[in-house]
């Protein structure tokens, strides 16, 4: 039986499959409904190709449910980014036509030819942290919006309004001192009290989410919390956003992903770099908070910042240097955690070998860190 790649274009209501061989020839294609009956039919359809690798577009997004079901049944699955499949489709011609079949074919070709695609693994603790961190961020945004609305109403009730860093405990004494006599004033006061109640509830939710995140990290400890400025919440955010650290070949690739590595824009004899505004901004924000904490507190991080300032760098430039140093330390800690959890670095080795044995060009990211070796880099300067 020929080796094949099954490209999947997932949607909410359906999944379109295109099967190609090593020469990119279409062997079979079919569309299935995205329900239990459709999944059973899909598995029967795939059994005709014994040596197979699944390539799912957006395996951490709309295709997450299908990818996780396949992985749970022992199927080798590759995560194909949507931008990569779009690039394959554009280079393949077709007059720009975009159909589900064309998308699934592009996903299959990307799974066949692209290097360093991430192998999908069963959800673990990082998925729990991602859910909790995302929920906490939603609650934080709701709290900010509620505080802003409360500020507006207080400005209409009290001359000068309230001070910054408003909370429910600070708002209630202010409202108790206001006794409007007209109907409009009474309505405003009642609205402010409603906002204060909402704010109190949101604060309770944030406290509960922080407790749940701490409990998860207590059961699955990480050395990230040893870095000064990275407490439980930031550590959870980093773990959730990074996922499997082995997909980064070196600390330099990791720094590019976190947006802490400058972009080389050199030309001729001019060697120039500019600020990297790309990368994962949530990770970048977590590292920025850690850098601010280290600058404010005595220690190696503050000494490193001052040394950069003495070298003639501006405040922002020195902060960026410290953030890059923190990125390297976080990368080292993530690798150490993985090595501690799986001596010899054999986590997921069977799944990776099954995928690469079938399609040798499909993924090389697992082989980039043999035995979980990594660049030697001192982290004492950023570890408390």
């Amino acid at each position: 039986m020929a080796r094949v790649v099954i490209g999947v274009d997932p949607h909410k209501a359906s999944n379109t499959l295109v099967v190609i061989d090593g020469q990119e020839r279409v062997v079979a294609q079919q569309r299935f409904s995205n329900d239990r009956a459709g999944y059973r039919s899909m598995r029967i359809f795939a059994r005709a190709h014994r040596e197979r690798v699944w390539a799912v577009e957006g395996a951490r997004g709309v295709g997450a449910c299908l990818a996780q079901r396949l992985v749970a049944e022992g199927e080798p699955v590759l995560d194909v980014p949507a931008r990569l499949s779009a690039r394959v489709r554009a280079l393949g011609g077709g007059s720009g036509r975009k159909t589900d079949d064309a998308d699934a074919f592009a996903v299959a070709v990307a799974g066949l030819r692209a290097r360093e695609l991430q192998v999908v693994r069963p959800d673990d603790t990082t998925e729990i942290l991602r859910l909790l961190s995302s929920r906490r961020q939603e609650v934080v945004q709701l709290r900010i919006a509620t505080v802003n609305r409360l500020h507006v109403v207080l400005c209409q009730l009290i001359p000068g309004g309230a001070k910054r860093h408003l909370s429910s405990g600070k708002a209630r004494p202010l409202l108790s001192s206001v006794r409007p006599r007209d109907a409009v004033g009474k309505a405003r006061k009642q609205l402010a009290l409603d906002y204060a109640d909402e704010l109190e509830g949101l604060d309770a939710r944030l406290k509960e989410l922080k407790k749940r995140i701490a409990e998860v990290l207590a059961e699955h400890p990480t050395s990230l919390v040893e870095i000064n400025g990275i407490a439980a919440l930031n550590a959870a955010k980093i773990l959730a956003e990074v996922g499997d650290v082995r997909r980064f070949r070196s600390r330099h690739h990791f720094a590019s992903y976190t947006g802490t590595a400058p972009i080389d824009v050199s030309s001729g004899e001019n060697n120039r770099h500019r600020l990297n505004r790309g990368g994962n901004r949530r990770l970048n924000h977590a590292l920025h908070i850690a850098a601010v904490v280290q600058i404010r507190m005595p220690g190696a991080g503050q000494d490193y910042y001052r040394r950069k300032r003495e070298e003639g760098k501006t405040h922002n430039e020195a902060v960026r240097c410290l953030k890059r140093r923190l990125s390297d330390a976080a990368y080292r800690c993530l690798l150490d955690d993985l090595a501690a959890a799986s001596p010899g670095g054999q986590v997921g080795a069977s799944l990776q070998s099954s995928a690469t044995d079938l399609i040798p060009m499909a993924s090389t990211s697992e082989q980039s860190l043999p035995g979980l070796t990594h660049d030697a880099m001192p982290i004492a300067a950023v570890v408390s």
Side-chain angles (χ1 to χ4, degrees), residues 129-304:
L129 293 174
R130 186 188 69 81
L131 294 172
L132 293 177
S133 297
S134 297
R135 177 54 181 162
R136 184 181 181 278
Q137 185 60 34
E138 292 174 359
V139 177
V140 167
Q141 293 174 352
L142 288 174
R143 187 185 187 281
I144 293 174
T146 303
V147 168
N148 291 339
R149 296 187 183 104
L150 181 56
H151 266 296
V152 172
V153 179
L154 288 177
C155 285
Q156 297 170 345
L157 287 172
I158 304 173
K163 296 182 179 180
R164 297 179 61 185
H165 308 296
L166 184 61
S167 65
S168 176
K170 294 179 180 179
R172 293 189 184 280
L174 292 175
L175 291 172
S176 63
S177 64
V178 178
R179 296 180 176 82
R181 298 181 179 180
D182 60 312
V184 176
K186 292 179 180 179
R188 285 173 175 162
K189 181 177 179 178
Q190 184 58 49
L191 182 60
L193 290 172
D194 292 342
Y195 285 143
D197 291 339
E198 292 180 15
L199 190 58
E200 189 173 353
L202 292 172
D203 287 338
R205 290 185 193 178
L206 288 174
K207 185 176 180 180
E208 177 63 23
L209 286 170
K210 182 178 180 180
K211 178 181 177 182
R212 290 167 63 182
I213 290 174
E215 290 174 351
V216 174
L217 290 178
E219 295 177 0
H220 303 85
T222 173
S223 57
L224 283 172
V225 295
E226 299 176 6
I227 300 178
N228 188 20
I230 299 182
L233 295 179
N234 265 349
K237 184 184 296 185
I238 293 173
L239 290 170
E241 294 297 330
V242 172
D244 187 358
V245 70
R246 289 172 293 181
R247 61 194 178 107
F248 303 103
R249 287 182 292 178
S250 68
R251 59 191 175 97
H252 307 296
H253 291 83
F254 183 75
S256 179
Y257 180 72
T258 60
T260 56
I263 298 176
D264 190 358
V265 290
S266 303
S267 178
E269 300 299 325
N270 296 323
N271 295 322
R272 296 175 56 247
H273 294 80
R274 65 177 176 84
L275 176 64
N276 184 0
R277 299 189 182 277
N280 188 309
R281 304 317 297 173
R282 290 177 291 275
L283 273 177
N284 189 280
H285 179 261
L287 295 175
H288 180 80
I289 295 299
V292 171
V293 171
Q294 292 203 2
I295 291 173
R296 292 179 178 177
M297 298 177 61
Q302 187 183 83
D303 296 340
Y304 177 81

